[in-house]
């Protein structure tokens, strides 16, 4: 069932018939042989049919449709002035997919938008009605196959007719159409029928004439294809070519279609072809110029947006940099404040500790003085066994006291320690005449044994 639907869709795409019942009857009458039905339909077309249309403006896709009368009798009358997009042609699915590749499992209905082809499309599955007729179905055309066909055509044309010729692009039709759209030029299409008797003379005298080749190469993108090849055959069906040699001028349109601006069938002289192409070029020039200006405006707008975005990003980065700098400054100040607070606390703790240690030391010293003062006992009255001792301190202060002559030199040190006259801890008691230092070795001697009885004058000498 899917195979029947595919054939019906493909037949409608090629023939342009919109009535599905009529297409079904035609296919059924030919045993659902797609190629036979298409061939029968195109060959039954009246070759002298004249297509006319009233000039209209399509608000949806901005395509201007004009009339064109093309007579196919011999000799051909001078062609009437061509109009823009006098015929819109729906491309066959296989041409679209042949140019842009295959996607397995989908029917290719190439997506066209904004006067051009999008860069992707769905592929088209096989069309044979049965295993016996599959060889007659249109073969699938991959990207490499379409390019290979175009390269083969260019090589064969150059081999047969020389190098003075239109510069046919070596790529598929859809790629050539995209190239023309990107360069804001029309696409000149030549369908080559090797077996037609008029083909050699038309190629040699018209296509390969210097004036025609220069004009076409300067003003158009050129694509050619042999109707013996897959893509050339499909394009001949799509453009309904009934006489050869066949030339056409097309441009991209919307909704899976191309705009046929002009077609020329049958042999023509270089002058006739130049006149036809010149008229097409003159009438399509406003459209191409408008498209180019529109593209330039879009590029300018895009560049302006990019510049604005760049300026915004630069301003944002500058703001972020300032914010980072502010945060870093705040963090630095916070670290410095924390460091200062830490140092303050340490200094305060050090002062408190020093004060506490000083207080403890002072308390210990006061306690020691009290203990040593108590150990001295009461001062004895004057008597023969009592020694009068005078002690001079470094600050000039003097202290005098009586001691029993039997007390030791250590008692004198205890007496000095009990007084609140000396802060130093290391000192010696010294007599001047003669100079005697009463150090550690004499602490156990009594005053009488040390020669200090009955009276003595000592001074305190600080030890360094």
């Amino acid at each position: 069932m899917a195979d029947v639907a595919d054939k019906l869709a493909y037949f409608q795409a090629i023939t342009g018939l919109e009535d599905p019942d009529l297409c079904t009857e035609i296919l059924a009458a030919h045993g659902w042989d797609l190629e036979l039905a298409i061939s029968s339909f195109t060959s039954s077309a009246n070759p002298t049919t004249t297509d006319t249309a009233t000039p209209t403006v399509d608000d949806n896709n901005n395509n201007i449709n004009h009339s064109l009368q093309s007579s196919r009798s011999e000799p051909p009358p001078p062609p009437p002035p061509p109009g823009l997009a006098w015929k819109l042609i729906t491309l066959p699915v296989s041409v679209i997919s042949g140019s842009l590749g295959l996607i397995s499992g989908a029917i290719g209905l190439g997506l066209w938008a904004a006067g051009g082809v999008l860069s992707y499309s769905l592929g088209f599955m096989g069309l044979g009605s049965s295993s016996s007729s599959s060889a007659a179905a249109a073969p699938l055309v991959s990207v490499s196959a379409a390019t290979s066909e175009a390269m083969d055509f260019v090589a064969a044309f150059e081999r047969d007719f020389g190098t003075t010729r239109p510069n046919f692009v070596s790529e598929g039709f859809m790629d050539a159409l995209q190239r023309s759209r990107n360069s804001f030029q029309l696409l000149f299409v030549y369908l080559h029928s090797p077996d037609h008797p008029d083909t050699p003379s038309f190629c040699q005298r018209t296509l390969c004439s210097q004036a025609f080749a220069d004009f076409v190469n300067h003003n158009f993108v050129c694509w050619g294809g042999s109707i013996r090849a897959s893509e050339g055959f499909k394009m001949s069906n799509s453009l309904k070519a009934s006489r050869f040699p066949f030339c056409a001028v097309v441009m991209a349109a919307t909704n899976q279609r191309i705009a046929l601006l002009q077609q020329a069938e049958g042999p023509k002289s270089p002058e006739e072809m130049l006149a036809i192409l010149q008229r097409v070029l003159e009438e399509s020039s406003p459209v191409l110029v408008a498209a180019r200006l529109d593209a330039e405006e879009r590029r300018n707008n895009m560049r302006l947006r990019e510049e604005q975005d760049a300026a915004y990003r630069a301003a944002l980065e500058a703001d972020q940099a300032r914010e980072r700098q502010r945060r870093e400054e705040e963090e630095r100040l916070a670290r410095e404040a924390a460091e200062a607070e830490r140092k303050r606390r340490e200094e305060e703790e050090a002062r408190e500790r020093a004060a506490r240690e000083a207080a403890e030391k002072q308390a210990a010293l006061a306690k020691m003085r009290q203990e040593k003062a108590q150990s001295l006992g009461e001062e004895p009255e004057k008597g023969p066994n009592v020694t009068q001792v005078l002690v001079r301190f470094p600050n000039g202060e003097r202290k005098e006291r009586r001691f029993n002559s039997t007390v030791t030199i250590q008692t004198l040190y205890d007496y000095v320690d009990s007084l609140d006259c000396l802060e130093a801890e290391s000192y010696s008691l010294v007599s001047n005449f003669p100079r005697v230092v009463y150090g550690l070795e004499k602490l156990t001697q009594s005053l009488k044994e040390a020669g200090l009885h009955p009276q003595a004058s000592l001074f305190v000498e600080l030890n360094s």
Side-chain angles (χ1 to χ4, degrees):
M1 191 66 184
D3 186 53
V4 171
D6 291 345
K7 291 182 179 182
L8 180 60
Y10 186 69
F11 184 80
Q12 286 181 297
I14 291 180
T15 61
L17 295 177
E18 297 181 357
D19 188 349
D21 294 334
L22 177 60
C23 294
T24 302
E25 290 178 4
I26 296 174
L27 286 169
H30 293 83
W32 289 94
D33 189 323
L34 185 61
E35 186 175 5
L36 181 60
I38 292 173
S39 177
S40 176
F41 178 83
T42 55
S43 63
S44 64
N46 185 2
T48 60
T49 298
T50 301
D51 294 330
T52 61
T54 303
T56 60
V57 178
D58 188 338
D59 292 334
N60 292 328
N61 56 21
N62 296 327
N63 285 330
I64 303 175
N65 297 325
H66 294 276
S67 63
L68 175 69
Q69 298 180 347
S70 59
S71 175
R72 295 167 185 154
S73 60
E74 289 293 341
L84 288 180
W86 70 272
K87 184 184 294 184
L88 294 179
I89 297 176
T90 302
L91 290 178
V93 174
S94 56
V95 172
I96 298 174
S97 63
S99 174
L100 302 181
L102 296 174
I103 298 178
S104 176
I107 298 177
L109 295 175
L111 302 177
W112 292 55
V117 186
L118 295 179
S119 60
Y120 58 92
S121 66
L122 299 177
F124 178 73
M125 299 301 294
L127 301 176
S129 58
S130 63
S131 59
S132 60
S133 62
S134 61
L140 297 176
V141 181
S142 65
V143 173
S144 59
T147 303
S148 177
E149 287 181 4
M151 294 175 64
D152 291 343
F153 168 75
V154 172
F157 191 94
E158 186 171 311
R159 182 181 65 250
D160 295 338
F161 304 107
T163 57
T164 303
R165 57 173 176 79
N167 292 331
F168 298 111
V169 293
S170 298
E171 55 194 15
F173 176 81
M174 295 302 297
D175 293 331
L177 191 65
Q178 181 70 15
R179 179 190 292 269
S180 68
R181 188 174 71 90
N182 293 340
S183 61
F184 304 102
Q185 291 180 305
L186 303 178
L187 179 63
F188 175 77
V189 177
Y190 170 62
L191 297 179
H192 185 71
S193 176
D195 300 326
H196 198 280
D198 294 328
T199 296
S201 60
F202 178 75
C203 292
Q204 292 171 353
R205 297 175 185 176
T206 301
L207 294 184
C208 294
S209 68
Q210 188 68 53
F212 180 81
D214 292 343
F215 181 81
V216 171
N217 293 335
H218 181 71
N219 296 286
F220 297 86
V221 173
C222 302
W223 181 85
S226 174
I227 62 172
R228 288 183 177 177
S230 175
E231 194 167 31
F233 171 75
K234 290 165 187 173
M235 286 309 303
S236 69
N237 288 332
S238 178
L239 296 174
K240 293 183 173 59
S242 59
R243 288 187 63 195
F244 293 92
F246 181 89
C247 299
V249 178
V250 301
M251 67 183 300
T254 58
N255 300 328
Q256 307 173 14
R257 297 181 298 180
I258 59 173
L260 177 60
L261 305 182
Q262 178 69 59
Q263 70 182 35
E265 296 179 292
K268 286 180 174 55
S269 66
E271 292 75 16
E272 290 176 316
M273 288 298 299
L274 286 173
I276 294 173
L277 296 182
Q278 183 65 45
R279 283 195 299 270
V280 175
L281 199 61
E282 290 174 356
E283 294 193 7
S284 62
S285 178
V287 176
L288 298 177
V289 170
R292 183 180 293 107
L293 293 177
D294 183 63
E296 290 178 357
E297 182 179 2
R298 288 197 302 271
R299 284 196 298 269
N300 291 335
N301 292 337
M302 184 178 297
R303 183 169 61 251
L304 179 60
R305 286 195 298 270
E306 290 174 352
E307 292 174 355
Q308 291 174 344
D309 292 343
Y312 172 76
R313 288 194 298 270
L316 181 61
E317 290 174 358
D319 291 342
Q320 291 174 344
R322 285 193 295 269
E323 181 65 19
R324 284 196 303 271
Q325 199 172 27
R326 184 187 65 80
R327 288 199 304 268
E328 291 173 357
E329 182 67 15
E330 290 178 352
E331 292 173 356
R332 184 184 65 81
L333 293 176
R335 287 195 301 271
E336 291 179 354
E339 183 66 17
E341 178 65 17
R342 184 184 64 79
K343 290 182 178 180
R344 186 191 65 78
R345 287 198 301 269
E346 290 180 352
E347 292 174 356
E348 184 176 354
E349 291 174 357
R351 287 194 298 270
E352 291 176 355
R353 185 168 56 254
R356 185 169 58 252
E357 291 175 354
E360 292 174 354
K361 183 177 180 182
Q362 194 67 25
L365 184 60
K367 182 179 179 181
M368 181 268 294
R369 286 171 180 168
Q370 184 180 6
E371 291 175 351
K372 289 194 175 184
Q374 291 175 356
S375 67
L376 293 176
E378 296 293 333
E379 183 178 4
E381 298 293 335
K382 292 183 180 180
N385 294 323
V386 175
T387 303
Q388 187 75 28
V389 179
L390 175 66
V391 180
R392 295 194 298 272
F393 291 89
N395 58 2
E397 190 174 356
R398 296 183 177 194
K399 295 292 183 178
E400 188 174 0
R401 191 184 190 282
R402 294 183 296 275
F403 296 92
N404 290 323
S405 59
T406 57
V407 300
T408 60
I409 298 296
Q410 180 64 51
T411 303
L412 297 181
Y413 276 94
D414 292 342
Y415 170 65
V416 173
D417 290 339
S418 67
L419 301 176
D420 191 12
C421 298
L422 187 65
E423 295 293 336
E425 296 180 356
S426 179
Y427 63 91
S428 298
L429 294 176
V430 182
S431 62
N432 276 337
F433 303 104
R435 176 179 172 79
V436 179
V437 178
Y438 299 95
L440 294 176
E441 69 281 359
K442 296 182 178 183
L443 291 180
T444 58
Q445 292 180 358
S446 65
L447 300 182
K448 182 179 290 188
E449 291 172 349
L452 298 177
H453 184 74
Q455 62 181 8
S457 178
L458 304 173
F459 67 89
V460 176
E461 185 178 80
L462 301 178
N463 295 332
S464 56

